[in-house]
Amino acid sequence: MLPPDSWAGSAALGMFHRNDFASTPDDRYARQLRRGFRRLRFEPAVESEYRRALIETERLSAAICAGVGGCVWLAFALLDLHRISALGLWQQMDAAVWLWLGARWSVLVLLLGGALVIRNRRGDYGWLSWTMYTAMGVAIAFSSWIIHTKGGFAADSAQIVVVMAAFLPLGLTFRRALAAALVVAAVSIFVLLVLDAHYELAHRMQIAAMLLLAMPVTAMGGYLREYSQRRQFLLTAILDRQAHTDPLTGLANRRSLFAHAERVAQLAARDGCGVALAIIDVDHFKHFNDGYGHGAGDLALQRVAEALGADLRTPFDMAARLGGEEFCVLLYGVTPDAAQARFDALLGRVRQLAIPHAGSPAGFLTLSGGAAMLGPHGRFDVLADRADAALYRAKREGRDRLRWA
């Protein structure tokens, strides 16, 4: 057995930079949770993920809101036809009446069509929701003014409800919803105070004040709702990472590997692509831990994991830690010769690290591996058994080598 202090007393200490590896790989979701997000913004990569998740989470509710809004809008469009008849405007259709009808029916088409697009088409619909909402608010403001000028009745207070609706689950972030609500409120107040003189100024000032008061109240609710959504997103991502990732190395764990590999096997059978699997073991790792300590062993495993994950070229490639000092690398869309070259290069990268190991014949850390190719319509569990058998053959033949099943 190596002397207990051999690790600390050797030049091998310089082979590791402890600042390069935390005790566990950095988790950007946990880091974001620690930093906080009072301004409702994540770091760019996490922010992009959150927005994609928001779009998909609120897709159904946004489509329902648009559809219900369209149905209510249709009722008002039909009411407009009655109003025009009651006011006798069919015989004297001017530009204002045409604008009133055009705005009402155009927004109706936008709402109902938007509901179908949001529900049935993939992709970001945030700007569509923003456009539908602001078009509806602006149309209500100008339609009410025109109705008043023609001697009809329109409820000005309806704009308060419209302002509050900006923070419904429409697939909008808080900032987008706030911008939309401000646009609608500003247009409504302008029309109410500058253009529409149907009511006395005191009444119009009262409606404008109610609109202004509605903004901070509903915005506060919208802010708190999104803050809670963002926190839940981070917590869910952290739990998902913990469930599918090895905490020491940051590679996929056994559970994640097997779930991924089953999907890859089905895809390979459909597309006729080659799949190669290598099961890899760190040679004489028990002696390494006994001689240098478990802390140094953890650092060594992290460096090995980094080397194994350095040549994953497609989304279907995967490096995983199966447990202890045993790893696995899955390559998709490769021929046997290409897989051989990449696995050899992988073992070579670990040799180039030259991690000192007095308990190894080579004098530094080495790997043994067993590899196999997935057969036509093959199963991953069978592939893993074949690669595992090849690994034991590599060990029997002296380690520090790769053997094929």
Side-chain angles (χ1 to χ4, degrees):
M1 181 179 294
L2 297 171
D5 60 346
S6 61
W7 171 256
S10 71
L13 186 60
M15 301 305 299
F16 289 99
H17 304 282
R18 290 181 180 270
N19 291 333
D20 292 344
F21 295 95
S23 58
T24 58
D26 189 21
D27 185 338
R28 58 186 177 180
Y29 306 109
R31 183 174 67 244
Q32 184 68 69
L33 191 61
R34 290 193 301 269
R35 287 179 177 176
F37 43 92
R38 291 182 180 177
R39 295 183 179 180
L40 299 183
R41 292 286 294 184
F42 295 150
E43 60 183 61
V46 180
E47 181 69 20
S48 178
E49 287 185 36
Y50 169 75
R51 292 197 178 193
R52 288 196 299 269
L54 175 68
I55 285 295
E56 292 308 317
T57 300
E58 295 192 348
R59 182 178 297 279
L60 179 59
S61 59
I64 291 174
C65 287
V68 171
C71 292
V72 173
W73 198 265
L74 175 61
F76 278 101
L78 296 175
L79 178 61
D80 286 343
L81 301 180
H82 173 72
R83 285 171 172 166
I84 292 174
S85 296
L87 295 172
L89 298 178
W90 290 116
Q91 291 76 27
Q92 45 181 337
M93 296 284 288
D94 57 14
V97 176
W98 282 116
L99 176 62
W100 168 16
L101 288 176
R104 185 74 80 183
W105 288 92
S106 297
V107 172
L108 175 63
V109 172
L110 180 62
L111 288 172
L112 295 179
L116 294 175
V117 170
I118 292 171
R119 185 69 184 93
N120 298 318
R121 295 184 63 180
R122 301 295 95 184
D124 186 356
Y125 55 86
W127 284 110
L128 177 58
S129 290
W130 196 92
T131 302
M132 288 190 297
Y133 169 82
T134 51
M136 182 177 66
V138 171
I140 289 176
F142 281 98
S143 295
S144 298
W145 165 50
I146 294 171
I147 292 170
H148 289 157
T149 62
K150 299 301 180 181
F153 171 79
D156 300 311
S157 57
Q159 285 295 74
I160 299 173
V161 177
V162 176
V163 167
M164 297 173 66
F167 299 96
L168 289 172
L170 304 175
L172 300 177
T173 61
F174 171 76
R175 283 183 171 81
R176 281 187 179 181
L178 181 61
L182 286 172
V183 168
V184 170
V187 170
S188 300
I189 291 173
F190 171 78
V191 171
L192 194 64
L193 297 183
V194 178
L195 301 180
D196 194 349
H198 179 73
Y199 295 112
E200 293 185 358
L201 181 61
H203 175 76
R204 288 181 281 144
M205 290 288 291
Q206 183 182 27
I207 299 295
M210 292 175 66
L211 278 170
L212 292 175
L213 287 174
M215 284 295 305
V217 174
T218 54
M220 183 184 300
Y223 175 90
L224 294 175
R225 182 174 72 90
E226 182 165 327
Y227 189 92
S228 177
Q229 282 180 329
R230 286 177 176 268
R231 186 172 186 276
Q232 188 62 43
F233 168 81
L234 293 176
L235 292 174
T236 300
I238 290 169
L239 291 175
D240 183 71
R241 178 179 172 85
Q242 291 174 349
H244 297 92
T245 306
D246 173 59
L248 176 66
T249 64
L251 297 181
N253 60 17
R254 177 186 291 268
R255 173 185 178 183
S256 181
L257 169 71
F258 274 75
H260 175 77
E262 290 296 341
R263 293 192 294 269
V264 166
Q266 294 173 6
L267 186 64
R270 186 193 70 185
D271 296 340
C273 293
V275 175
L277 176 73
I279 296 181
I280 296 165
D281 196 75
V282 181
D283 294 330
H284 306 291
F285 191 69
K286 182 179 184 303
H287 295 300
F288 188 93
N289 270 338
D290 291 344
Y292 302 127
H294 288 278
D298 288 347
L299 289 170
L301 291 177
Q302 288 179 333
R303 297 197 70 183
V304 169
E306 183 184 37
L308 297 183
D311 191 30
L312 305 180
R313 302 178 185 178
T314 77
F316 304 113
D317 293 353
M318 177 177 279
R321 185 187 181 199
L322 299 179
E325 68 273 20
E326 193 171 47
F327 296 86
C328 177
V329 176
L330 181 73
L331 302 180
Y332 180 81
V334 292
T335 63
D337 289 342
Q340 174 79 55
R342 290 176 64 181
F343 288 147
D344 286 343
L346 185 153
L347 268 61
R349 280 197 298 274
V350 174
R351 293 191 196 99
Q352 290 171 6
L353 294 175
I355 300 172
H357 184 3
S360 169
F364 50 84
L365 211 63
T366 60
L367 303 179
S368 296
M373 292 291 296
L374 183 70
H377 308 291
R379 289 169 30 204
F380 177 73
D381 55 347
V382 175
L383 176 66
D385 288 342
R386 292 170 54 219
D388 198 47
L391 169 63
Y392 279 98
R393 183 154 61 90
K395 289 182 177 182
R396 286 196 303 270
E397 294 178 6
R399 302 177 189 265
D400 188 20
R401 64 198 66 204
L402 178 78
R403 289 292 177 260
W404 282 82

